[in-house]
Amino acid sequence: MKDSHAHSGPDQHTRGPSCKAGTAIERDARTHGKVRWQQGYRIDELVHELDLFRQVLADAAGTFAESNDAFTRRHEGRARRLIDEAVGVVTFPSVREVVTERDRKIDEYTGSLERANHELTLKQRLVSDLYRHRTTKRDIPTEVDPDVSGASGRLGGDMRSS
């Protein structure tokens, strides 16, 4: 007897959606993440929102199961696994997009800070060089001021006569 659960390819749960619909869902999930980032959502808020989405889907499956006698526990278990898979397909690209946007913004700020720091370093060197140049000029006399030497001479002369 052949096992009814055996199949020839990789498990759908491990390989993810391979059809165009899966790609569209992932694209929409990335858009969702980008929009939530622009709205200021933090990662924990995004994950909480996606968990609420999972709960709504699970509640809908439970309500359907209660109202449909043909819907067995086995069907409900399968529905919950499909819900988990669908939410997973949405969660990972959405969170990844938020993280990518956050990292991009951090890189942008870091670049700005590095450029500002470099400019400040150059200006600090310029001010230091200017200060050093002024200090050096003040310490080296270039010529003798006749008023200063004359005053000293007179002062000295006045002291001798007293």
Side-chain angles (χ1 to χ4, degrees), residues 71-82:
F71 199 77
T72 66
R73 284 281 193 206
R74 184 171 169 243
H75 291 122
E76 188 175 353
R78 174 93 172 115
R80 290 190 187 282
R81 282 191 301 277
L82 290 171

Side-chain angles (χ1 to χ4, degrees), residues 26 28-55 87-102:
E26 289 173 349
D28 290 346
R30 284 190 302 274
T31 300
H32 175 258
K34 189 171 214 156
V35 167
R36 289 301 189 241
W37 168 257
Q38 291 167 346
Q39 292 173 334
Y41 275 56
R42 296 184 323 254
I43 293 172
D44 61 323
E45 294 171 323
L46 177 63
V47 170
H48 179 69
E49 178 186 48
L50 293 168
D51 186 52
L52 292 174
F53 176 57
R54 178 191 312 272
Q55 290 174 25
V87 172
V89 167
V90 170
T91 298
F92 298 121
S94 189
V95 169
R96 185 176 30 240
E97 188 63 31
V98 167
V99 169
T100 299
E101 288 296 316
R102 184 200 62 193

